[in-house]
């Protein structure tokens, strides 16, 4: 991602990559902006739908909310913060998503003031849209009216990379200045506190709602937990939970039972039976240096090699190393269609809102191809025989991307119901589904790997789109681009 030369796909994931060398290579990628290097791409750089007319099966004119989407929400089963429409509503949902268009009023940001948009995040109740900007700022908007609420002018001392809401009022931001900041929507004139503990750029934030632990990761290779139960103005207690080189992204599954970590060297690490209250001894994970296990899309062996024999499993059981039986580690190398003989860099990592699958975006080491891939978790009672008893993920869907804006990370996302994927696509976005009916993944799992279906492509930017996000409560979508513009999308009939 932002490198001018290829990465060594067979290199040891514990090799060192210094932020200074990444900055130097990133500045070469974009002439004319030597003073503001994207830094592994992150220099990596929603309006409500119109109320539909009443139908025999739709909401009544006197019903509260008035919109079709509100009616669907009232009929929906909820799971935590995620909208889970009943399965018999797929035709209505498909119609809504297929009619997505840029809203009449979108949020326009000044490039000179804000720089590129690196991340978008809605509050859990959908009332606030936050924007993480390249030039140290965080902006807050009302996504329904597109009205500007507040600019946190100097939220950090370097570019802001990621935003995460802890609840409807508290949110956290992280930055290349190596810090994390906590904010309260009720008092935005100052931070609640600043958290110090990383030694390099902090790239993403997760939150365990069960333990109320904030979890952050950065280019220092560290995953750190922060006990928000005991925070003060001076910070809160923290400890290093895990470490690996080439760390790009870290995510928690919705039930916080697993942690997934992607790396720029093509590895995907999964910590099973997650217990964030323990610190893991890095030296006990010897398999991080061992041969990697490919994730295959079928039962046949890779075309470049005969089936492997012996113990090539990369799943490690820490209790055999004298640690807790929890936090077992699995090290995988996702197979990418057309890339079996070439290494790849996993630049973006997301989880299905129901925890059924993981979504990645990766680029080849030569940075000449990009792919979006979906991998099903093979656990519980599978609907078909496992590809391998040693591999917990199976490639189910994929699609090749436009590969516009090389060197920048493009953050994709799932819709709240998990039926759609929104992927940055050049100067616009693509809505992708698992089949032509926008079915749930569990209802349309293919026997063999299949292509994602394009539902709609929308081009509304004048520069490369870097990040996308669905509203958790409204039929709305937002995207942000390199020149600093945020576009909102909603259904139009």
């Amino acid at each position: 991602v932002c490198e001018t030369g290829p990465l060594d796909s067979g290199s040891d994931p514990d090799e060192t990559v210094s932020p200074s060398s990444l900055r130097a290579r990133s500045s070469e990628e974009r002439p004319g902006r030597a003073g503001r290097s994207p830094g592994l791409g992150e220099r990596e750089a929603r309006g409500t739908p119109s109320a539909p007319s009443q139908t025999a099966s739709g909401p009544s004119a006197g019903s509260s909310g008035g919109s079709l989407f509100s009616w669907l929400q009232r009929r929906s089963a909820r799971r935590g913060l995620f909208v889970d429409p009943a399965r018999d509503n797929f035709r209505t949902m498909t119609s809504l998503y297929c009619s997505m268009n840029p809203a009449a009023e979108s949020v326009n940001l000044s490039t000179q003031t804000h720089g590129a948009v690196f991340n978008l995040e809605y509050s859990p109740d959908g009332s606030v849209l936050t924007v993480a900007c390249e030039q140290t700022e965080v902006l807050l908007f009302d996504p329904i009216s597109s009205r500007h609420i507040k600019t946190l002018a100097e939220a950090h001392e370097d570019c802001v990379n990621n935003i995460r809401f802890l609840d409807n009022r508290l949110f956290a931001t992280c930055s290349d200045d190596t810090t994390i900041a906590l904010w309260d929507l009720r008092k935005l004139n100052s931070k609640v506190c600043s958290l110090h503990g990383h030694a390099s750029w902090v790239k993403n934030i997760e939150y365990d709602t069960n333990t109320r632990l904030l979890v952050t990761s950065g280019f220092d290779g560290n995953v750190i937990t922060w006990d928000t139960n005991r925070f003060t103005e001076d910070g809160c207690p923290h400890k290093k939970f895990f470490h690996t080189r080439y760390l790009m992204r870290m995510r928690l599954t919705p039930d916080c039972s697993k942690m997934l970590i992607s790396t720029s060297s093509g590895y995907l690490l999964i910590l099973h039976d997650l217990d964030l209250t323990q610190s893991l001894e890095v030296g006990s994970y010897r398999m991080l240096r061992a041969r990697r296990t490919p994730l295959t899309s079928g039962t046949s062996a890779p075309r470049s090699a005969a089936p492997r024999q012996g113990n090539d499993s990369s799943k490690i059981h820490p209790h055999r190393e004298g640690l807790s039986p929890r936090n077992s580690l699995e090290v995988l190398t996702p197979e990418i269609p057309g890339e079996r003989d070439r290494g790849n860099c996993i630049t973006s990592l997301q989880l299905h809102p129901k925890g059924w699958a993981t979504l990645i975006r990766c680029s080849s080491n030569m940075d000449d191809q990009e792919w979006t891939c979906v991998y099903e978790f093979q656990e519980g009672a599978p609907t078909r025989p496992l590809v391998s008893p040693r591999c917990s993920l199976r490639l189910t869907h994929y699609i090749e991307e436009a590969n516009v804006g090389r060197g920048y990370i493009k953050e994709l996302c799932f819709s709240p119901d998990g039926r759609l994927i929104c992927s940055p696509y050049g100067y616009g976005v693509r809505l992708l589904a698992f089949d032509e009916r926008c079915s749930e993944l569990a209802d349309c799992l293919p026997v063999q790997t299949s292509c994602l279906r394009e539902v709609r492509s929308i081009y509304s930017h004048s520069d490369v789109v870097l990040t996308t996000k669905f509203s958790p409560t409204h039929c709305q979508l937002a995207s942000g681009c390199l020149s600093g513009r945020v576009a909102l999308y909603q259904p139009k009939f």
Side-chain angles (χ1 to χ4, degrees), residues 302-317:
R303 61 188 177 191
S304 60
R308 292 180 177 177
Q309 303 295 327
N311 182 21
D312 62 353
S313 169
S314 293
K315 192 163 184 178
I316 302 139
H317 300 277

Side-chain angles (χ1 to χ4, degrees), residues 157-229:
E157 296 178 0
D158 208 332
C159 67
V160 186
N161 296 318
N162 191 235
I163 303 174
R164 175 70 61 182
F165 274 86
L166 284 62
D167 52 36
N168 284 323
R169 61 181 182 84
L170 285 174
F171 66 95
T173 60
C174 65
S175 168
D176 280 4
D177 66 4
T178 76
T179 70
I180 301 97
L182 289 179
W183 305 85
D184 192 327
L185 287 175
R186 301 168 300 180
K187 186 181 178 182
L188 290 170
N189 293 329
S190 62
K191 304 173 185 178
V192 174
C193 64
S194 291
L195 308 179
H196 301 263
H198 282 279
S200 185
W201 308 336
V202 189
K203 290 302 182 182
N204 78 290
I205 309 171
E206 292 288 289
Y207 183 61
D208 184 347
T209 55
N210 301 318
T211 61
R212 294 187 63 190
L213 291 175
L214 200 67
V215 191
T216 61
S217 68
F219 281 178
D220 55 1
N222 291 328
V223 177
I224 296 178
T225 59
W226 310 80
D227 189 356
T228 61
N229 297 290

Side-chain angles (χ1 to χ4, degrees), residues 208 210 251-260 270-276 326-328 355 377 379:
D208 184 347
N210 301 318
R251 303 289 180 197
L252 300 181
T253 53
D255 61 359
C256 299
S257 65
K258 299 181 185 65
M259 176 184 289
L260 280 78
I270 307 176
L271 281 164
H272 297 267
D273 301 317
L274 187 65
D275 183 0
L276 290 171
R326 302 186 65 177
N327 295 324
S328 61
F377 283 108
E379 294 181 340

Side-chain angles (χ1 to χ4, degrees), residues 1-8 16-31 37-40 246 264 407:
V1 302
C2 231
E3 283 93 335
T4 56
L7 288 171
D8 180 5
T16 302
V17 175
S18 68
S20 59
S21 65
L22 291 174
R23 286 187 185 271
R25 282 180 278 177
S26 299
S27 61
E28 294 173 10
E29 180 85 14
R30 302 194 60 228
S37 155
L40 244 128
Y246 287 149
S264 60

Side-chain angles (χ1 to χ4, degrees), residues 180-425:
I180 301 97
L182 289 179
W183 305 85
D184 192 327
L185 287 175
R186 301 168 300 180
K187 186 181 178 182
L188 290 170
N189 293 329
S190 62
K191 304 173 185 178
V192 174
C193 64
S194 291
L195 308 179
H196 301 263
H198 282 279
S200 185
W201 308 336
V202 189
K203 290 302 182 182
N204 78 290
I205 309 171
E206 292 288 289
Y207 183 61
D208 184 347
T209 55
N210 301 318
T211 61
R212 294 187 63 190
L213 291 175
L214 200 67
V215 191
T216 61
S217 68
F219 281 178
D220 55 1
N222 291 328
V223 177
I224 296 178
T225 59
W226 310 80
D227 189 356
T228 61
N229 297 290
R230 296 187 290 164
F231 75 80
T232 66
E233 292 183 356
D234 298 324
C236 59
H238 69 278
K239 62 181 178 181
K240 184 190 296 186
F241 174 72
F242 188 74
H243 175 88
T244 184
R245 302 294 174 88
Y246 287 149
L247 190 154
M248 286 291 294
R249 289 291 182 271
M250 173 274 305
R251 303 289 180 197
L252 300 181
T253 53
D255 61 359
C256 299
S257 65
K258 299 181 185 65
M259 176 184 289
L260 280 78
I261 297 172
S262 66
T263 71
S264 60
S265 55
Y267 289 88
L268 185 62
L269 283 61
I270 307 176
L271 281 164
H272 297 267
D273 301 317
L274 187 65
D275 183 0
L276 290 171
T277 63
Q278 301 179 19
S279 290
L280 305 183
E281 295 295 333
V282 179
S284 66
Y285 291 94
R286 301 188 184 99
M287 291 299 290
L288 279 175
R289 302 177 180 273
R291 181 169 50 186
R292 298 171 290 179
T293 302
L295 305 184
T296 56
S297 57
T299 56
S300 60
R303 61 188 177 191
S304 60
R308 292 180 177 177
Q309 303 295 327
N311 182 21
D312 62 353
S313 169
S314 293
K315 192 163 184 178
I316 302 139
H317 300 277
H319 63 275
R320 296 177 184 173
E321 304 288 344
L323 298 179
S324 165
R326 302 186 65 177
N327 295 324
S328 61
L329 177 66
E330 187 174 10
V331 184
L332 307 166
T333 306
E335 178 190 338
I336 311 300
E339 291 284 303
R340 293 183 180 182
D341 301 323
R342 306 167 62 188
N344 59 81
C345 171
I346 304 173
T347 58
S348 182
L349 176 68
Q350 299 291 338
L351 274 299
H352 189 280
K354 297 176 184 177
W356 294 343
T358 183
L359 173 68
I360 71 170
R361 184 150 176 166
C362 58
S363 60
S364 64
N365 279 346
M366 297 302 294
D367 210 16
D368 58 351
Q369 283 184 301
E370 272 189 313
W371 299 85
T372 289
C373 299
V374 179
Y375 296 89
E376 169 205 9
F377 283 108
Q378 297 192 113
E379 294 181 340
T383 57
R384 60 188 58 78
L386 298 180
V387 171
S388 164
R390 295 187 297 267
C391 184
S392 64
L393 293 179
R394 182 180 78 95
L395 177 62
T396 61
H397 298 83
Y398 71 93
I399 195 168
E400 188 170 3
E401 295 289 1
N403 198 30
V404 177
R406 296 183 184 181
Y408 281 91
I409 291 175
K410 292 93 179 181
E411 297 283 5
L412 30 64
C413 64
F414 277 108
S415 62
D417 55 16
R419 295 172 184 260
L420 280 185
I421 295 165
C422 184
S423 177
Y425 192 68

